[in-house]
């Protein structure tokens, strides 16, 4: 029997999609072993979103609310989650593999002295699998006793809410001491979401090979001609050519459009994991050995400054 | 004010340009696989060396492994680290949490420190974020996914933490641990320094001291139950000549069908 707790990451009143995927996966495992799945939500102003988790299959939802938990920080969140787990026991605790989940999961594991496996791409019974060695090897990890894991985007399909289901919602007392409030968030510069890459049918993405901010007009023209959204690599976001909401990959969004046009993108594994399930991949790169070509359906070896205007012309013709 | 910095460095499998299979017939990692300095640990090293350049102090590098596995420590000496410490893991591979315990034991014995830097990577064959476990065992504050140090001084450090839609700036009291992220682009001003010829000559034969910790006393709650080769994704791929407008046109027609 597996009793599972899912950490519900809630930002701006919305439960993170990967937390919902964890819940769907947890449900699957609990159902197969006559176990149960509960959720724990920590933060401020999260109650309404947390209550909605019942419709996604949670049996009980625990809400730890406090104004001091408005922004994520390791120590106070670790304190709240580990205090909760000291009085509530679970076999498996699932976190979304986000910068919050991957930070909190090992911290909680340390506080409790239990096993931790991050970035799992698969979970079956008690076997946790991770894709390693540039996704060439699937490694299976087994843990003793209570196990904490973070699951990657794509682990399951977040089910549709079923309004006939509801969860028992209870409050969790929050006790923060001096030791758990030593650090602070001074400021956050978070891009407002201006693009919806997740639902895009076609994405034209630019990488460092675009060369300059001005050259992004080439990407824009193709995207306009196709009615596509614009994506980017981290190199582009770091260079300040596009805001962070355009970033695709491990620390950006994971996308599955019908068509993905990669322009001047080398295809580092951290980028590929965010786009490799695209229907058709077109890659334009001057380097015939660029790793992106290994996953591309159409390989165009050439300079994007010449190829992109040609594509625009052909589409408009 | 000067700082005593510690960096934790790892020698990891080199997964660049991997062709063919990684696993031998018996399921173990092929002998022909090469290793390299974990790139984010290299960034962590650079971060610590810059603090020393700017504020003075000392940088000590720790690495877990057998004597053969700690070339990375010599690489640290070549780049200007003051001291290195090898943490012996015994015969078997330890797993992240047990390695973190040994590192915490060794660091605890090494005297006063202000800052610990380590790469954020969960390496192949590891199960979790090494830095967070070390910080937890030492009972110090930690910040992960740190791309840069904004400020250090007056008993505190401010780390710029890369998150999904931007950055946040976290202030933590010293001593603190930073897990450092981001593979650097080539012309990035933060690119790590290269080895110095002079230091290379000096440190080539230097003895690498090892920490007085007992690997047999730690156990791992996680173990590797098996490894399986993942078949290459079969992508039917076509070369399209950049100059050939007819070919480009038919490609567009193909992919836009049904859109
Ligand atoms: C923890 C971590 C998380 C990360 N998360 C992400 C992430 O979410 N998303 C992400 O994208 N990256 C991420 N990265 C960074 C990733 O490792 C790569 O550094 C990044 O994806 C490289 O971006 P790029 O392909 O644009 O640049 P480069 O690797 O520099 O590639 C540029 C490419 O452009 C080609 N080129 C140059 N000129 C031209 C031209 N005129 N025409 C056509 N082609 C040209 C070059 O041949 C080259 O292949 C992460 C890294 C780490 C460590």
């Amino acid at each position: 029997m597996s009793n599972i707790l899912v950490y519900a990451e809630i930002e701006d009143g919305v439960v993170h999609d990967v937390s919902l995927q964890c819940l769907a996966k947890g449900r699957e495992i609990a159902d197969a072993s006559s176990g149960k799945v509960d959720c724990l939500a920590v933060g401020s102003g999260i109650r309404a979103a947390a209550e909605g988790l019942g419709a996604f299959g949670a049996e009980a939802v625990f809400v730890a609310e406090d104004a001091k938990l408005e922004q994520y920080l390791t120590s106070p969140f670790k304190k709240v989650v580990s205090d909760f787990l000291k009085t509530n026991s679970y076999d498996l605790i699932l976190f979304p593999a986000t910068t919050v989940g991957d930070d909190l999961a090992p911290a909680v594991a340390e506080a409790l002295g239990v096993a931790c496996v991050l970035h799992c791409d698969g979970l079956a019974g008690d076997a946790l699998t991770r894709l390693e060695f540039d996704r060439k090897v699937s490694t299976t990890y087994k843990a003793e006793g209570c196990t904490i894991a973070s699951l990657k985007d794509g682990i399951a399909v977040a089910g549709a809410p079923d309004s006939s289901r509801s969860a028992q919602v209870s409050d969790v007392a929050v006790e923060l001491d001096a030791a758990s409030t030593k650090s602070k968030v001074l400021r956050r510069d978070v891009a407002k979401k201006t693009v919806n890459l997740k639902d895009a049918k076609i994405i034209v993405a630019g990488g460092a090979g675009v060369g300059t901010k001005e050259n992004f007009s080439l990407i824009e023209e193709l995207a306009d001609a196709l009615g596509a959204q614009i994506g980017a690599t981290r190199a582009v976001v770091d260079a300040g050519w596009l805001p962070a909401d355009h970033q695709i990959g491990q620390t950006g969004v994971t996308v599955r459009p019908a068509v993905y046009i990669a322009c001047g993108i080398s295809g580092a594994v951290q980028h590929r994991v965010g786009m490799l399930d695209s229907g058709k991949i077109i890659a334009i790169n001057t380097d015939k050995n660029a790793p992106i070509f290994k996953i591309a359906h159409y390989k165009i070896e050439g300079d994007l400054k010449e190829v992109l205007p040609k594509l625009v012309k052909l589409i408009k013709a | 004010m000067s700082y005593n910095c510690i960096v934790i460095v790892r020698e990891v499998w080199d997964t660049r340009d991997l062709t063919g299979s990684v696993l031998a017939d018996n399921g173990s990692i092929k002998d022909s696989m090469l290793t390299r300095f974990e790139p984010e640990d290299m960034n962590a090293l650079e971060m610590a060396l810059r603090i020393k350049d700017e504020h003075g102090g000392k940088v000590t590098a720790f690495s877990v492994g057998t004597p053969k596995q700690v070339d990375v420590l010599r690489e640290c000496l070549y780049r200007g680290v003051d001291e290195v410490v090898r943490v012996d893991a015994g015969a078997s591979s330890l797993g992240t949490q047990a390695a973190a315990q040994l590192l915490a034991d060794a660091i605890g014995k090494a005297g006063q420190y202000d800052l610990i830097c380590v790469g954020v990577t969960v390496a192949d064959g590891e199960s979790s974020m090494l830095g967070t476990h070390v910080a937890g065992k030492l009972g110090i504050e930690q910040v992960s996914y740190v791309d840069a140090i904004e400020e250090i001084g007056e008993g505190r450090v401010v780390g710029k933490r890369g998150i999904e839609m931007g950055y946040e700036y976290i202030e933590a009291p010293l001593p603190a641990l930073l897990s450092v992220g981001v593979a650097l682009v080539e012309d990035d001003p933060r690119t790590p320094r290269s080895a110095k010829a002079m230091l290379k000559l000096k440190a080539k034969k230097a003895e690498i001291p090892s920490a007085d910790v007992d690997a047999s006393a730690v156990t791992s709650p996680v173990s590797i139950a098996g490894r399986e080769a993942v078949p290459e994704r079969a992508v039917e791929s076509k070369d399209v000549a950049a100059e050939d407008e007819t070919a480009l046109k038919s490609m567009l027609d193909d992919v836009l069908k049904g859109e």
Side-chain angles (χ1 to χ4, degrees), chain A residues 208 233-234 247-251 264 266 270-271 285 303-304, chain B residues 40:
Chain A
T233 62
R234 176 143 175 184
Q247 184 176 315
I248 292 167
Q250 185 183 315
T251 43
S266 61
Q270 294 91 349
H271 184 76
N285 200 303
D303 188 337
L304 64 92
Chain B
E40 288 177 309

Side-chain angles (χ1 to χ4, degrees), chain A residues 78-95:
Chain A
K78 168 177 81 175
K79 172 93 172 37
V80 172
V81 176
S82 53
D83 281 354
F84 173 81
L85 288 168
K86 278 173 195 156
T87 48
N88 296 273
S89 105
Y90 291 91
D91 306 303
L92 185 61
I93 301 140
L94 302 177
F95 289 78

Side-chain angles (χ1 to χ4, degrees), chain A residues 2-244:
Chain A
S2 283
N3 291 328
I4 300 172
L5 181 73
V6 171
Y7 179 81
E9 184 179 336
I10 298 175
E11 173 99 27
D12 295 332
V14 180
V15 181
H16 198 289
D17 184 58
V18 186
S19 273
L20 293 179
Q21 295 180 25
C22 289
L23 182 49
K25 189 74 195 177
R27 197 61 272 161
E28 186 189 298
I29 292 170
D31 286 345
S33 65
S34 327
K36 61 164 184 173
V37 189
D38 296 341
C39 283
L40 172 64
V42 183
S44 168
I46 52 169
R47 199 176 175 92
E51 282 172 355
L53 289 163
F56 289 95
E59 272 140 89
V61 175
F62 298 93
V63 184
E65 264 204 296
D66 192 300
K68 289 202 249 3
L69 299 169
E70 170 142 22
Q71 285 175 315
Y72 174 75
L73 256 182
T74 316
S75 291
F77 276 63
K78 168 177 81 175
K79 172 93 172 37
V80 172
V81 176
S82 53
D83 281 354
F84 173 81
L85 288 168
K86 278 173 195 156
T87 48
N88 296 273
S89 105
Y90 291 91
D91 306 303
L92 185 61
I93 301 140
L94 302 177
F95 289 78
T98 58
T99 57
V100 168
D102 285 337
D103 188 80
L104 187 52
V108 171
E110 273 313 311
L112 299 173
V114 304
C116 184
V117 184
L118 296 183
H119 298 171
C120 297
D121 302 276
L123 170 59
D126 63 345
L128 296 145
T129 52
R130 261 169 53 90
L131 290 175
E132 301 184 340
F133 297 89
D134 203 17
R135 303 175 70 87
K136 284 190 159 56
V137 174
S138 169
T139 306
T140 301
Y141 290 85
K142 288 246 164 105
E144 301 280 328
C146 166
T147 306
I148 289 182
S150 79
L151 306 184
K152 284 219 204 139
D153 193 354
I155 190 81
V157 177
D162 172 356
S163 56
S164 70
R165 295 180 85 136
S166 68
Q168 188 191 338
V169 181
S170 22
D171 286 307
V172 174
V174 173
E175 282 165 41
L176 299 175
D177 52 9
S180 59
T181 49
K182 287 193 210 156
S183 295
K184 359 184 223 264
V185 182
L186 297 185
R187 137 173 95 84
R188 291 183 98 192
D189 294 337
V190 181
K192 279 270 165 291
K193 237 181 147 182
T194 56
V195 281
N196 183 356
L197 292 169
K198 275 205 173 275
D199 294 330
K201 289 264 189 311
I202 308 178
I203 293 175
V204 183
V210 174
T212 62
K213 190 170 180 166
E214 290 66 43
N215 282 352
F216 259 86
S217 60
L218 298 168
I219 303 275
E220 273 163 35
E221 278 158 31
L222 179 60
D224 282 350
L226 289 167
Q229 298 281 356
I230 296 178
T233 62
R234 176 143 175 184
V236 165
V237 172
D238 278 354
W241 298 343
L242 278 179

Side-chain angles (χ1 to χ4, degrees), chain B residues 47 145-151 158-161 178 180 190:
Chain B
M47 209 173 243
Y145 297 100
V146 173
D147 279 3
I149 291 180
E150 285 291 297
E151 229 185 293
V158 179
K160 177 182 180 189
R161 179 169 194 263
L178 307 181
V180 179
R190 295 167 299 179

